[in-house]
Amino acid sequence: MSIPSTRPYLPNRQILDKYIDRIYDSGWLTNNGPLVNELTQRLEELFESDHILLVANGTLALQIAYQTLINSVDDQTSPIEAITTPFTFIATSNALKWEGITPIFTDINPTDWCLSANSIAEKINKNTQFIVPVHVFGNACPIEEINEIAEKYALKTIYDASHAFGIKYKGRNIVQYGDASIISFHATKLFHTVEGAMIRFKHKSDLAKAKEIINFGFNDNKEPCRLGINAKMNEFEAAVGLSILNDISDIIKERNNITAVYQDEFKNTPSVIKLNITNNSAYMPILLDSEATLLSTLKALKSHNIEAKRYFHPSLDTVEHLNPSNRCPISQDISTRILCLPIYNGLTTKEIKHICEIINHTINTHSIDNLDNNH
């Protein structure tokens, strides 16, 4: 038995083929085609949000959001800074660096693992332009507190909501918060377009600017009016997205059932601290009592051809090319002890029980060995 950490959801071929037939009938492959427009409209309806822009991938979505909302500075020697979390996929910070913005790391909350609002203000200075929080594993950041800080210091807030597809916060879809929110549609995500992503902007004017940026900087008159790049989503990506969107309720329901089995299997395992799983079941993270336990668990799973991921590891405040200026001890601690277990549509209850049996046995054995060593 071989179990991967994830397996991309593949849409029904008959439904997908109908969308592909439309591409062949129109001959329109890219450049804001009809399927991209249709997917945009359906996502705006699903998220109850206007001002959604589809782009080629999640990293580009971050770069476009940063580039759209950045304020030019008269003194070109002054750095532009963004306060962000070290507990995230590296693209969040890589995209900042790529745009010439310095990530300033602030530690996370020990419970939901999202950016802590308590220490943001002390990191703000004249160079700060952005706050870039991440809704980790679909858990909402402290939105009100972050918004209060952003308003007080006139900062832009860009949420990385890549884990939060379909999540609602206080009755509103989570992408409605902030000056911009991005969601990656990578093949490993809950909803995907193979590659691809979306940006939801708060203001229509920002959407209009971003549309120019993703199309080489051309305006509606086909005149190059600003610095731009090619970041457009193509029609085949949109076809996959439209096909999968038809199944999204069933996808989430099945993953919720998988999560429930995991939680039941771990209910008597004190060394496993269960995260308050959100209702989209995008990931199945467990927090172990030590890195030694994690490494033993990882080794045991690998010996049974089961893939789990250290997600996120390492904490980004330890990554040299990001030039971190301060350390975040909570993030560093969590990053050494967290493991994301296999979760994907089609994972069976038998397979889940097998995974949990290996983990529970490893944890119990490790605990007994530690007890013997201490004596």
Side-chain angles (χ1 to χ4, degrees):
M1 181 186 296
S2 178
I3 302 174
S5 62
T6 188
R7 182 175 289 154
Y9 182 86
L10 293 174
N12 179 284
R13 275 297 299 271
Q14 291 180 321
I15 294 174
L16 177 60
D17 286 347
K18 288 180 180 179
Y19 285 113
I20 292 176
D21 286 343
R22 287 173 56 184
I23 297 173
Y24 274 78
D25 289 342
S26 69
W28 200 332
L29 301 182
T30 188
N31 288 342
N32 200 34
L35 294 188
V36 168
N37 284 318
E38 183 176 337
L39 181 57
T40 301
Q41 182 179 350
R42 287 187 60 183
L43 289 171
E44 287 181 339
E45 292 169 357
L46 179 66
F47 296 148
E48 300 176 320
S49 303
D50 295 330
H51 314 150
I52 286 178
L53 180 66
L54 301 185
V55 296
N57 62 58
T59 304
L60 280 169
L62 288 162
Q63 290 178 233
I64 300 304
Y66 300 152
Q67 188 62 229
T68 300
L69 296 171
I70 201 167
N71 293 322
S72 59
V73 291
D74 296 330
D75 180 5
Q76 297 300 315
T77 63
S78 296
I80 297 173
E81 297 180 356
I83 295 172
T84 190
T85 173
F87 193 70
T88 181
F89 188 59
I90 197 166
T92 313
S93 290
N94 271 354
L96 284 168
K97 290 285 285 187
W98 200 274
E99 293 301 316
I101 304 167
T102 301
I104 304 297
F105 295 115
T106 299
D107 216 343
I108 60 174
N109 294 315
T111 50
D112 59 20
W113 309 335
C114 294
L115 184 69
S116 171
N118 294 332
S119 53
I120 291 176
E122 65 187 39
K123 298 288 190 289
I124 295 172
N125 60 48
K126 62 183 179 63
N127 299 320
T128 310
Q129 286 200 21
F130 299 110
I131 304 174
V132 184
V134 179
H135 301 302
V136 177
F137 300 129
N139 288 288
C141 293
I143 290 174
E144 289 89 353
E145 296 171 67
I146 291 173
N147 183 59
E148 185 177 338
I149 294 168
E151 288 185 353
K152 180 178 179 179
Y153 294 95
L155 304 177
K156 299 291 179 66
T157 303
I158 299 173
Y159 284 102
D160 186 336
S162 291
H163 295 180
F165 187 96
I167 296 294
K168 289 197 172 183
Y169 179 79
K170 298 196 173 179
R172 295 169 57 190
N173 193 282
I174 206 162
V175 302
Q176 295 181 20
Y177 296 91
D179 294 283
S181 284
I182 76 99
I183 300 184
S184 169
F185 294 158
H186 185 266
T188 58
K189 301 301 183 186
L190 182 72
F191 168 82
H192 74 87
T193 58
V194 184
E195 288 279 3
M198 60 162 268
I199 315 168
R200 188 269 173 179
F201 290 101
K202 181 178 181 180
H203 299 294
K204 186 177 180 179
S205 58
D206 293 327
L207 173 65
K209 180 179 178 181
K211 283 182 175 179
E212 294 173 347
I213 292 173
I214 70 168
N215 188 31
F216 307 100
F218 287 116
N219 60 21
D220 290 339
N221 296 322
K222 310 300 182 185
E223 299 166 337
C225 63
R226 65 175 75 252
L227 184 66
I229 194 170
N230 182 11
K232 302 182 296 294
M233 178 179 283
N234 66 60
E235 288 291 272
F236 281 90
E237 288 177 322
V240 172
L242 286 164
S243 302
I244 292 176
L245 202 58
N246 294 326
D247 301 336
I248 196 63
S249 295
D250 292 334
I251 290 171
I252 293 174
K253 182 178 179 181
E254 182 180 345
R255 293 173 77 102
N256 284 342
N257 291 337
I258 291 170
T259 296
V261 176
Y262 269 122
Q263 289 179 306
D264 187 61
E265 291 297 308
F266 286 139
K267 65 184 178 185
N268 295 319
T269 310
S271 294
V272 176
I273 302 173
K274 295 180 290 295
L275 180 66
N276 181 18
I277 303 297
T278 55
N279 60 10
N280 70 0
S281 293
Y283 294 87
M284 184 58 222
I286 59 172
L287 186 67
L288 300 165
D289 62 347
S290 69
E291 186 172 25
T293 303
L294 179 144
L295 293 173
S296 297
T297 302
L298 203 57
K299 182 179 179 180
L301 290 170
K302 187 176 182 180
S303 71
H304 288 81
N305 295 316
I306 298 168
E307 182 186 27
K309 286 192 174 182
R310 301 189 69 176
Y311 204 67
F312 306 102
H313 178 78
S315 180
L316 297 185
D317 61 313
T318 67
V319 175
E320 188 174 342
H321 76 258
L322 296 175
N323 304 119
S325 57
N326 58 291
R327 294 291 184 253
C328 301
I330 298 174
S331 177
Q332 289 187 26
D333 173 53
I334 298 296
S335 72
T336 63
R337 299 190 288 123
I338 191 169
L339 198 60
C340 278
L341 303 182
I343 184 167
Y344 52 84
N345 292 80
L347 186 66
T348 66
T349 297
K350 180 181 177 181
E351 289 171 325
I352 300 166
K353 288 178 179 289
H354 179 53
I355 293 166
C356 295
E357 181 183 5
I358 295 166
I359 293 173
N360 286 331
H361 175 74
T362 304
I363 288 172
N364 291 333
T365 302
H366 189 81
S367 298
I368 292 171
D369 289 345
N370 284 343
L371 188 63
D372 290 342
N373 291 335
N374 290 334
H375 284 80

